């Protein structure tokens, strides 16, 4: 079995088309027309991946994604947002509220399947990974939690992934393109400046704890995590 996918989408033809495609690919597929319908399905049988439409009647997809991330029981369910919006700001916002990826309608079946595979590959080892700690900064990939001296640091899932990648690959310089591949996944078409946005946010998150200078800019190349200052 390839995994359980729950689609939350108000347009019946899209549900039908995706249901057909995903089941043909070997996924277990369930569908909901809105958040109200999705809630009991998630509580009942936790999906391995959530395909979540942005524009939904009632509670919209972005607000629902935020709720899922704020609930300890559901916070690590991978989410791909389906969006009709083409604005870069909305895409960044989508990633910022905790979506693992987004895909803009209309999309090809091939593109969607590639993204599903990439997100699942990236997230399936969440349970198996261990806690990493550098100079008092501790990351737990299972709970997606960062602590400094046992104190919780408020961090978004994307910033977490970025920091986790850096901390497990210290002292090496990565270009924006390499970071996109490593942190966002190879089949994701995010613009390079999105990396800069997230680097800025990550530094801001770490600033009160004085870890922000571990994230270093290497001029005209990219970024590096280093505890040597
Ligand atoms: Ca919709």
């Amino acid at each position: 079995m390839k995994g359980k996918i729950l689609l939350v989408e108000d347009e019946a033809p899209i549900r039908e088309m995706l249901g057909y495609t995903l089941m043909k690919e070997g996924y277990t597929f369930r569908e909901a027309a809105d958040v109200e319908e999705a809630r009991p399905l998630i509580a009942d049988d936790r999906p391995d991946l959530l395909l979540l439409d942005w524009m939904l009647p009632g509670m919209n997809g972005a607000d629902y994604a935020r709720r899922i991330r704020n609930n300890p029981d559901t916070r690590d369910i991978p989410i791909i947002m389906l969006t009709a919006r083409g604005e870069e700001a909305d895409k960044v916002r989508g990633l910022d509220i905790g979506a693992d990826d987004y895909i803009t309608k209309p999309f090809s079946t091939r593109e969607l399947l590639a993204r599903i595979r990439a997100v699942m590959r990236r997230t399936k080892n969440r349970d198996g990974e261990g806690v990493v700690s550098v100079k008092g900064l501790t990351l737990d990939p299972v709970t997606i939690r960062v602590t400094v001296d046992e104190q919780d640091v408020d961090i978004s899932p994307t910033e977490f992934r970025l920091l986790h990648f850096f901390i497990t690959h210290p002292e090496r310089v990565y270009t924006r393109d390499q970071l996109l591949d490593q942190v966002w996944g190879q089949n994701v078409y995010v613009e390079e400046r999105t990396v800069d946005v997230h680097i800025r946010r990550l530094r801001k998150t770490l600033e009160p704890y004085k870890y922000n200078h571990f994230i270093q800019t290497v001029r005209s190349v990219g970024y590096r995590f280093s505890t040597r200052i």
Side-chain angles (χ1 to χ4, degrees):
M1 198 185 73
K2 273 186 163 173
K4 296 175 280 187
I5 297 180
L6 174 63
L7 168 68
V8 189
E9 162 70 63
D10 57 314
E11 285 168 69
I14 297 182
R15 289 203 304 274
E16 203 174 309
M17 187 264 287
L18 290 182
Y20 172 78
T21 305
L22 293 172
M23 285 191 282
K24 206 174 105 203
E25 284 293 310
Y27 294 102
T28 303
F29 176 78
R30 286 184 305 164
E31 58 185 89
D34 56 27
V35 169
E36 213 172 304
E37 264 184 50
R39 273 204 192 108
L41 293 178
I42 289 191
D44 227 37
D45 187 11
R46 199 190 139 85
D48 298 311
L49 182 107
L50 189 62
L51 291 176
L52 182 57
D53 187 27
W54 186 298
M55 296 298 281
L56 289 167
M59 182 185 282
N60 72 42
D63 288 339
Y64 189 41
R66 204 174 291 119
R67 282 204 188 189
I68 286 171
R69 285 293 175 254
N70 287 333
N71 179 343
D73 294 333
T74 57
R75 66 190 298 168
D76 56 351
I77 296 176
I79 301 174
I80 298 179
M81 299 288 303
L82 309 179
T83 169
R85 306 172 170 213
E87 299 273 319
E88 176 70 8
D90 284 326
K91 291 175 181 175
V92 172
R93 200 158 76 89
L95 292 174
D96 204 42
I97 56 175
D100 292 276
D101 198 1
Y102 56 83
I103 186 161
T104 308
K105 292 178 191 171
F107 47 80
S108 73
T109 304
R110 231 178 103 200
E111 188 186 1
L112 179 71
L113 291 174
R115 279 163 192 261
I116 289 173
R117 278 194 298 272
V119 167
M120 283 194 160
R121 207 169 34 237
R122 208 158 75 217
T123 53
K124 79 167 188 264
N125 295 322
R126 272 178 186 167
D127 291 346
E129 285 174 90
V131 171
V132 274
S133 195
V134 173
K135 302 215 173 199
L137 179 67
T138 302
L139 273 72
D140 183 344
V142 175
T143 55
I144 317 187
R145 194 170 270 171
V146 175
T147 49
V148 176
D149 298 328
E150 324 238 305
Q151 216 189 314
D152 272 355
V153 176
D154 191 22
I155 193 164
S156 79
T158 303
E159 265 84 75
F160 181 93
R161 280 204 308 274
L162 190 55
L163 181 59
H164 186 263
F165 176 76
F166 274 136
I167 245 180
T168 52
H169 300 80
E171 306 300 336
R172 278 183 58 185
V173 184
Y174 291 92
T175 63
R176 287 164 183 82
D177 199 41
Q178 286 171 324
L179 287 172
L180 282 175
D181 273 3
Q182 296 291 331
V183 179
W184 278 262
Q186 273 184 358
N187 294 303
V188 181
Y189 308 101
V190 185
E191 285 178 43
E192 291 198 352
R193 64 198 163 97
T194 306
V195 174
D196 299 330
V197 173
H198 285 287
I199 291 276
R200 251 196 323 273
R201 295 210 176 115
L202 180 57
R203 282 186 178 136
K204 220 172 150 196
T205 299
L206 297 175
E207 202 179 347
Y209 309 94
K210 312 265 184 269
Y211 288 108
N212 50 312
H213 43 258
F214 284 3
I215 313 292
Q216 298 169 2
T217 303
V218 181
R219 261 184 77 183
S220 68
V221 185
Y223 297 101
R224 156 179 72 204
F225 181 89
S226 176
T227 53
R228 294 179 219 153
I229 297 143

